[in-house]
Amino acid sequence: MVIPIPNSSSSPELEVNDLTALRSQRSGEGLALNQRYLNRQLGRVLQTLGFDREWVRGEGPYLIDSTGGRYLDLYAGYGVFALGRNHPFVKQALHELLDSNPPSLPQLGVSGLAGLLAERLVQLAPASIDAALLTSSGTESVEGALKLARAATGRTRILYCERGFHGLSYGSLSVNGNEEFRAHFGPFLPGCEAVPFGDLEALAAAIEPGDVAALIVEPVQGKGVYVAPDGYLAGAQELCRRSGTLFILDEVQTGLGRTGRFLALEHWGLDPDIVTLSKALSGGYVPVGAVLTSRAVFDATFSSMERSVVHGSTFGGGDFAAGAGLASLMVIEREALVDRARAMGDLLMELTLPLVERFEVVRAVRGLGLMWGLELGPPSGRAARRVWEAVEHRQPGLFAQLITVPLFRDHQILTQVAGHHMNVIKALPPLTIPEQELHRFAGALEQVLTGAESRLLRAYASLGLGLGRRALRAR
Ligand SMILES: Cc1ncc(COP(=O)(O)O)c(C=O)c1O
């Protein structure tokens, strides 16, 4: 079939019958197309920060641009590329699956691959888990978890943590502890209440009336990279158990080896009622997620033949998603990536923890496994502090961009700021990252921090205020 593409000002009308030809004929138009048809404010941010490269390929931990520049990708697509990009084993498995013409999504029928993925996930999860609901994203897993929790308990209240992030669809947004994501979208699901992360007393008080369906919490909060304090998660699980509240661990980001255990919950020996997964399960290829539950919780929703399709979605459990999930689990096992994440995480911490002593602006380095964050704070000198405050007044969290921008521009390393209005730099390296690249990252970070500190006033005043002005203009 020939599909005419509507004319754009920069390119002639094109008849498309070959995807490869289309990509090559329209190469270099990515940003222009984005600005015309997609998210133009994001495009402005990329241009302002100088992140507007034209990416042409992904190879393991690297993104490659149109000039051949190789960038170390410590953003990893928000954690999707735990195996690196285009892992050869997953690629081969998906090629074979494509060539086998699988009977994906029969709907009134079952697929063997979905069952095999569910079986493997249950085997790898704690004893409390014996069933899985397959989804296509993190937020969809969270929506499923919230619905199952209400159905299983017959209660409506749901507790979530301040700063918690669980996705951006309405249920997930209703348990999102970051105001900047919620503004303009209310009202939210009734019955959802925030509790401070790490505060067992506050949790006990909120749970006390005995009408809470579930607590949802990330073992390591992605926004800001905050690891649950010692005793918090075990204590929270215990409080939930005592009051018939379901304990939901959102492992969409922390799951599948990221923290140095297959599931982060293993660090604390937890036995939750529900675990949500997604991101890395995709192998970086096919969106997939899972809600892992006890059989009792699962069956409370799917409680009769009449209710057998009461929750789900068209794409949940498709053969390509399940195949990508199974192949990714095989890679994690074959390449011992959980142990590798632990060892590389220890190394990254060892290389970067001394930065706290070395640099006044580095307040903390924290994380678990290969989920890593570095928090910046104002320097103590009065003049420098005043400029910091001026920069932060213009746009809170701007200082962190003064580190991520030169890391990208001068060292070809892609990192992220760990949330709105926070001066935390975050890295989610692929679990396959070569050891020497961690050394290179630590060295680059030290150089950038040295530059920032030695040119403190000048850097703050010119780059900081310049960026601030441009950012304000871009709003
Ligand atoms: C802990 C957690 N839960 C849920 C989500 C939402 O996942 P998705 O973006 O696939 O909807 C995210 C995404 O970053 C996440 O980190």
Side-chain angles (χ1 to χ4, degrees), residues 205-223:
I207 273 187
E208 214 267 324
D211 59 354
V212 176
L215 164 71
I216 182 164
V217 59
E218 299 153 273
V220 182
Q221 290 192 315
K223 298 292 166 216

mmCIF file with all atom_site columns, all heavy atoms in Angstrom, residues 205-223:
data_model
loop_
_atom_site.group_PDB
_atom_site.id
_atom_site.type_symbol
_atom_site.label_atom_id
_atom_site.label_alt_id
_atom_site.label_comp_id
_atom_site.label_asym_id
_atom_site.label_entity_id
_atom_site.label_seq_id
_atom_site.pdbx_PDB_ins_code
_atom_site.Cartn_x
_atom_site.Cartn_y
_atom_site.Cartn_z
_atom_site.occupancy
_atom_site.B_iso_or_equiv
_atom_site.pdbx_formal_charge
_atom_site.auth_seq_id
_atom_site.auth_comp_id
_atom_site.auth_asym_id
_atom_site.auth_atom_id
_atom_site.pdbx_PDB_model_num
ATOM 1   N N   . ALA A 1 205 ? -0.778  6.262  62.249 1.00 0.00 ? 205 ALA A N   1
ATOM 2   C CA  . ALA A 1 205 ? -1.948  7.103  62.534 1.00 0.00 ? 205 ALA A CA  1
ATOM 3   C C   . ALA A 1 205 ? -2.931  7.078  61.359 1.00 0.00 ? 205 ALA A C   1
ATOM 4   O O   . ALA A 1 205 ? -4.151  7.018  61.556 1.00 0.00 ? 205 ALA A O   1
ATOM 5   C CB  . ALA A 1 205 ? -1.487  8.538  62.805 1.00 0.00 ? 205 ALA A CB  1
ATOM 6   N N   . ALA A 1 206 ? -2.396  7.087  60.146 1.00 0.00 ? 206 ALA A N   1
ATOM 7   C CA  . ALA A 1 206 ? -3.287  7.100  58.970 1.00 0.00 ? 206 ALA A CA  1
ATOM 8   C C   . ALA A 1 206 ? -4.010  5.769  58.786 1.00 0.00 ? 206 ALA A C   1
ATOM 9   O O   . ALA A 1 206 ? -5.149  5.718  58.327 1.00 0.00 ? 206 ALA A O   1
ATOM 10  C CB  . ALA A 1 206 ? -2.470  7.442  57.725 1.00 0.00 ? 206 ALA A CB  1
ATOM 11  N N   . ILE A 1 207 ? -3.336  4.690  59.147 1.00 0.00 ? 207 ILE A N   1
ATOM 12  C CA  . ILE A 1 207 ? -3.896  3.334  58.959 1.00 0.00 ? 207 ILE A CA  1
ATOM 13  C C   . ILE A 1 207 ? -4.885  2.970  60.066 1.00 0.00 ? 207 ILE A C   1
ATOM 14  O O   . ILE A 1 207 ? -5.786  2.150  59.877 1.00 0.00 ? 207 ILE A O   1
ATOM 15  C CB  . ILE A 1 207 ? -2.730  2.299  58.903 1.00 0.00 ? 207 ILE A CB  1
ATOM 16  C CG1 . ILE A 1 207 ? -2.223  2.185  57.470 1.00 0.00 ? 207 ILE A CG1 1
ATOM 17  C CG2 . ILE A 1 207 ? -3.122  0.962  59.443 1.00 0.00 ? 207 ILE A CG2 1
ATOM 18  C CD1 . ILE A 1 207 ? -1.198  1.086  57.262 1.00 0.00 ? 207 ILE A CD1 1
ATOM 19  N N   . GLU A 1 208 ? -4.702  3.621  61.208 1.00 0.00 ? 208 GLU A N   1
ATOM 20  C CA  . GLU A 1 208 ? -5.386  3.250  62.448 1.00 0.00 ? 208 GLU A CA  1
ATOM 21  C C   . GLU A 1 208 ? -6.899  3.027  62.330 1.00 0.00 ? 208 GLU A C   1
ATOM 22  O O   . GLU A 1 208 ? -7.433  2.036  62.852 1.00 0.00 ? 208 GLU A O   1
ATOM 23  C CB  . GLU A 1 208 ? -5.067  4.338  63.500 1.00 0.00 ? 208 GLU A CB  1
ATOM 24  C CG  . GLU A 1 208 ? -4.943  3.820  64.905 1.00 0.00 ? 208 GLU A CG  1
ATOM 25  C CD  . GLU A 1 208 ? -6.266  3.921  65.614 1.00 0.00 ? 208 GLU A CD  1
ATOM 26  O OE1 . GLU A 1 208 ? -7.009  4.893  65.384 1.00 0.00 ? 208 GLU A OE1 1
ATOM 27  O OE2 . GLU A 1 208 ? -6.548  2.985  66.378 1.00 0.00 ? 208 GLU A OE2 1
ATOM 28  N N   . PRO A 1 209 ? -7.648  3.867  61.595 1.00 0.00 ? 209 PRO A N   1
ATOM 29  C CA  . PRO A 1 209 ? -9.100  3.650  61.528 1.00 0.00 ? 209 PRO A CA  1
ATOM 30  C C   . PRO A 1 209 ? -9.513  2.299  60.929 1.00 0.00 ? 209 PRO A C   1
ATOM 31  O O   . PRO A 1 209 ? -10.667 1.889  61.066 1.00 0.00 ? 209 PRO A O   1
ATOM 32  C CB  . PRO A 1 209 ? -9.584  4.809  60.636 1.00 0.00 ? 209 PRO A CB  1
ATOM 33  C CG  . PRO A 1 209 ? -8.520  5.843  60.710 1.00 0.00 ? 209 PRO A CG  1
ATOM 34  C CD  . PRO A 1 209 ? -7.236  5.113  60.917 1.00 0.00 ? 209 PRO A CD  1
ATOM 35  N N   . GLY A 1 210 ? -8.578  1.606  60.265 1.00 0.00 ? 210 GLY A N   1
ATOM 36  C CA  . GLY A 1 210 ? -8.899  0.267  59.752 1.00 0.00 ? 210 GLY A CA  1
ATOM 37  C C   . GLY A 1 210 ? -9.697  0.275  58.458 1.00 0.00 ? 210 GLY A C   1
ATOM 38  O O   . GLY A 1 210 ? -10.323 -0.733 58.110 1.00 0.00 ? 210 GLY A O   1
ATOM 39  N N   . ASP A 1 211 ? -9.672  1.391  57.739 1.00 0.00 ? 211 ASP A N   1
ATOM 40  C CA  . ASP A 1 211 ? -10.441 1.450  56.489 1.00 0.00 ? 211 ASP A CA  1
ATOM 41  C C   . ASP A 1 211 ? -9.559  1.710  55.264 1.00 0.00 ? 211 ASP A C   1
ATOM 42  O O   . ASP A 1 211 ? -10.037 2.155  54.224 1.00 0.00 ? 211 ASP A O   1
ATOM 43  C CB  . ASP A 1 211 ? -11.514 2.542  56.590 1.00 0.00 ? 211 ASP A CB  1
ATOM 44  C CG  . ASP A 1 211 ? -10.900 3.919  56.873 1.00 0.00 ? 211 ASP A CG  1
ATOM 45  O OD1 . ASP A 1 211 ? -9.663  3.995  57.102 1.00 0.00 ? 211 ASP A OD1 1
ATOM 46  O OD2 . ASP A 1 211 ? -11.639 4.919  56.859 1.00 0.00 ? 211 ASP A OD2 1
ATOM 47  N N   . VAL A 1 212 ? -8.258  1.415  55.398 1.00 0.00 ? 212 VAL A N   1
ATOM 48  C CA  . VAL A 1 212 ? -7.343  1.678  54.280 1.00 0.00 ? 212 VAL A CA  1
ATOM 49  C C   . VAL A 1 212 ? -7.203  0.416  53.420 1.00 0.00 ? 212 VAL A C   1
ATOM 50  O O   . VAL A 1 212 ? -6.845  -0.650 53.928 1.00 0.00 ? 212 VAL A O   1
ATOM 51  C CB  . VAL A 1 212 ? -5.960  2.132  54.801 1.00 0.00 ? 212 VAL A CB  1
ATOM 52  C CG1 . VAL A 1 212 ? -4.992  2.312  53.634 1.00 0.00 ? 212 VAL A CG1 1
ATOM 53  C CG2 . VAL A 1 212 ? -6.087  3.436  55.581 1.00 0.00 ? 212 VAL A CG2 1
ATOM 54  N N   . ALA A 1 213 ? -7.463  0.556  52.137 1.00 0.00 ? 213 ALA A N   1
ATOM 55  C CA  . ALA A 1 213 ? -7.337  -0.591 51.223 1.00 0.00 ? 213 ALA A CA  1
ATOM 56  C C   . ALA A 1 213 ? -5.867  -0.954 51.024 1.00 0.00 ? 213 ALA A C   1
ATOM 57  O O   . ALA A 1 213 ? -5.505  -2.131 51.065 1.00 0.00 ? 213 ALA A O   1
ATOM 58  C CB  . ALA A 1 213 ? -7.976  -0.249 49.877 1.00 0.00 ? 213 ALA A CB  1
ATOM 59  N N   . ALA A 1 214 ? -5.026  0.066  50.794 1.00 0.00 ? 214 ALA A N   1
ATOM 60  C CA  . ALA A 1 214 ? -3.630  -0.237 50.455 1.00 0.00 ? 214 ALA A CA  1
ATOM 61  C C   . ALA A 1 214 ? -2.711  0.943  50.730 1.00 0.00 ? 214 ALA A C   1
ATOM 62  O O   . ALA A 1 214 ? -3.132  2.100  50.712 1.00 0.00 ? 214 ALA A O   1
ATOM 63  C CB  . ALA A 1 214 ? -3.532  -0.606 48.975 1.00 0.00 ? 214 ALA A CB  1
ATOM 64  N N   . LEU A 1 215 ? -1.467  0.583  50.968 1.00 0.00 ? 215 LEU A N   1
ATOM 65  C CA  . LEU A 1 215 ? -0.372  1.561  50.950 1.00 0.00 ? 215 LEU A CA  1
ATOM 66  C C   . LEU A 1 215 ? 0.450   1.237  49.713 1.00 0.00 ? 215 LEU A C   1
ATOM 67  O O   . LEU A 1 215 ? 0.815   0.071  49.496 1.00 0.00 ? 215 LEU A O   1
ATOM 68  C CB  . LEU A 1 215 ? 0.508   1.409  52.194 1.00 0.00 ? 215 LEU A CB  1
ATOM 69  C CG  . LEU A 1 215 ? 1.883   2.095  52.115 1.00 0.00 ? 215 LEU A CG  1
ATOM 70  C CD1 . LEU A 1 215 ? 1.730   3.619  52.183 1.00 0.00 ? 215 LEU A CD1 1
ATOM 71  C CD2 . LEU A 1 215 ? 2.807   1.610  53.231 1.00 0.00 ? 215 LEU A CD2 1
ATOM 72  N N   . ILE A 1 216 ? 0.737   2.241  48.891 1.00 0.00 ? 216 ILE A N   1
ATOM 73  C CA  . ILE A 1 216 ? 1.624   2.022  47.736 1.00 0.00 ? 216 ILE A CA  1
ATOM 74  C C   . ILE A 1 216 ? 2.911   2.808  47.952 1.00 0.00 ? 216 ILE A C   1
ATOM 75  O O   . ILE A 1 216 ? 2.872   3.990  48.321 1.00 0.00 ? 216 ILE A O   1
ATOM 76  C CB  . ILE A 1 216 ? 0.944   2.378  46.397 1.00 0.00 ? 216 ILE A CB  1
ATOM 77  C CG1 . ILE A 1 216 ? 1.904   2.089  45.232 1.00 0.00 ? 216 ILE A CG1 1
ATOM 78  C CG2 . ILE A 1 216 ? 0.437   3.821  46.345 1.00 0.00 ? 216 ILE A CG2 1
ATOM 79  C CD1 . ILE A 1 216 ? 1.234   2.027  43.880 1.00 0.00 ? 216 ILE A CD1 1
ATOM 80  N N   . VAL A 1 217 ? 4.049   2.149  47.749 1.00 0.00 ? 217 VAL A N   1
ATOM 81  C CA  . VAL A 1 217 ? 5.329   2.804  48.046 1.00 0.00 ? 217 VAL A CA  1
ATOM 82  C C   . VAL A 1 217 ? 6.427   2.237  47.145 1.00 0.00 ? 217 VAL A C   1
ATOM 83  O O   . VAL A 1 217 ? 6.395   1.049  46.781 1.00 0.00 ? 217 VAL A O   1
ATOM 84  C CB  . VAL A 1 217 ? 5.663   2.630  49.559 1.00 0.00 ? 217 VAL A CB  1
ATOM 85  C CG1 . VAL A 1 217 ? 5.753   1.171  49.975 1.00 0.00 ? 217 VAL A CG1 1
ATOM 86  C CG2 . VAL A 1 217 ? 6.939   3.357  49.944 1.00 0.00 ? 217 VAL A CG2 1
ATOM 87  N N   . GLU A 1 218 ? 7.367   3.101  46.781 1.00 0.00 ? 218 GLU A N   1
ATOM 88  C CA  . GLU A 1 218 ? 8.560   2.646  46.050 1.00 0.00 ? 218 GLU A CA  1
ATOM 89  C C   . GLU A 1 218 ? 9.655   2.320  47.070 1.00 0.00 ? 218 GLU A C   1
ATOM 90  O O   . GLU A 1 218 ? 9.887   3.118  47.979 1.00 0.00 ? 218 GLU A O   1
ATOM 91  C CB  . GLU A 1 218 ? 9.118   3.766  45.169 1.00 0.00 ? 218 GLU A CB  1
ATOM 92  C CG  . GLU A 1 218 ? 8.206   4.303  44.103 1.00 0.00 ? 218 GLU A CG  1
ATOM 93  C CD  . GLU A 1 218 ? 8.556   5.766  43.780 1.00 0.00 ? 218 GLU A CD  1
ATOM 94  O OE1 . GLU A 1 218 ? 8.035   6.677  44.462 1.00 0.00 ? 218 GLU A OE1 1
ATOM 95  O OE2 . GLU A 1 218 ? 9.361   5.995  42.872 1.00 0.00 ? 218 GLU A OE2 1
ATOM 96  N N   . PRO A 1 219 ? 10.355  1.210  46.899 1.00 0.00 ? 219 PRO A N   1
ATOM 97  C CA  . PRO A 1 219 ? 11.457  0.891  47.828 1.00 0.00 ? 219 PRO A CA  1
ATOM 98  C C   . PRO A 1 219 ? 12.559  1.946  47.793 1.00 0.00 ? 219 PRO A C   1
ATOM 99  O O   . PRO A 1 219 ? 13.150  2.271  48.818 1.00 0.00 ? 219 PRO A O   1
ATOM 100 C CB  . PRO A 1 219 ? 11.977  -0.449 47.339 1.00 0.00 ? 219 PRO A CB  1
ATOM 101 C CG  . PRO A 1 219 ? 10.907  -1.008 46.467 1.00 0.00 ? 219 PRO A CG  1
ATOM 102 C CD  . PRO A 1 219 ? 10.129  0.145  45.916 1.00 0.00 ? 219 PRO A CD  1
ATOM 103 N N   . VAL A 1 220 ? 12.831  2.461  46.603 1.00 0.00 ? 220 VAL A N   1
ATOM 104 C CA  . VAL A 1 220 ? 13.728  3.612  46.458 1.00 0.00 ? 220 VAL A CA  1
ATOM 105 C C   . VAL A 1 220 ? 12.934  4.630  45.638 1.00 0.00 ? 220 VAL A C   1
ATOM 106 O O   . VAL A 1 220 ? 12.540  4.339  44.511 1.00 0.00 ? 220 VAL A O   1
ATOM 107 C CB  . VAL A 1 220 ? 15.027  3.256  45.700 1.00 0.00 ? 220 VAL A CB  1
ATOM 108 C CG1 . VAL A 1 220 ? 15.950  4.470  45.622 1.00 0.00 ? 220 VAL A CG1 1
ATOM 109 C CG2 . VAL A 1 220 ? 15.739  2.081  46.335 1.00 0.00 ? 220 VAL A CG2 1
ATOM 110 N N   . GLN A 1 221 ? 12.699  5.791  46.203 1.00 0.00 ? 221 GLN A N   1
ATOM 111 C CA  . GLN A 1 221 ? 11.910  6.776  45.452 1.00 0.00 ? 221 GLN A CA  1
ATOM 112 C C   . GLN A 1 221 ? 12.724  7.291  44.262 1.00 0.00 ? 221 GLN A C   1
ATOM 113 O O   . GLN A 1 221 ? 13.868  7.740  44.428 1.00 0.00 ? 221 GLN A O   1
ATOM 114 C CB  . GLN A 1 221 ? 11.520  7.945  46.356 1.00 0.00 ? 221 GLN A CB  1
ATOM 115 C CG  . GLN A 1 221 ? 10.485  7.539  47.402 1.00 0.00 ? 221 GLN A CG  1
ATOM 116 C CD  . GLN A 1 221 ? 9.874   8.735  48.098 1.00 0.00 ? 221 GLN A CD  1
ATOM 117 O OE1 . GLN A 1 221 ? 10.585  9.661  48.494 1.00 0.00 ? 221 GLN A OE1 1
ATOM 118 N NE2 . GLN A 1 221 ? 8.559   8.715  48.264 1.00 0.00 ? 221 GLN A NE2 1
ATOM 119 N N   . GLY A 1 222 ? 12.112  7.207  43.099 1.00 0.00 ? 222 GLY A N   1
ATOM 120 C CA  . GLY A 1 222 ? 12.812  7.647  41.892 1.00 0.00 ? 222 GLY A CA  1
ATOM 121 C C   . GLY A 1 222 ? 13.048  9.139  41.877 1.00 0.00 ? 222 GLY A C   1
ATOM 122 O O   . GLY A 1 222 ? 14.087  9.620  41.437 1.00 0.00 ? 222 GLY A O   1
ATOM 123 N N   . LYS A 1 223 ? 12.082  9.907  42.364 1.00 0.00 ? 223 LYS A N   1
ATOM 124 C CA  . LYS A 1 223 ? 12.243  11.361 42.405 1.00 0.00 ? 223 LYS A CA  1
ATOM 125 C C   . LYS A 1 223 ? 13.183  11.697 43.570 1.00 0.00 ? 223 LYS A C   1
ATOM 126 O O   . LYS A 1 223 ? 12.826  11.539 44.739 1.00 0.00 ? 223 LYS A O   1
ATOM 127 C CB  . LYS A 1 223 ? 10.892  12.062 42.607 1.00 0.00 ? 223 LYS A CB  1
ATOM 128 C CG  . LYS A 1 223 ? 9.910   11.808 41.481 1.00 0.00 ? 223 LYS A CG  1
ATOM 129 C CD  . LYS A 1 223 ? 10.327  12.463 40.171 1.00 0.00 ? 223 LYS A CD  1
ATOM 130 C CE  . LYS A 1 223 ? 9.528   11.912 39.002 1.00 0.00 ? 223 LYS A CE  1
ATOM 131 N NZ  . LYS A 1 223 ? 10.276  11.778 37.758 1.00 0.00 ? 223 LYS A NZ  1
#
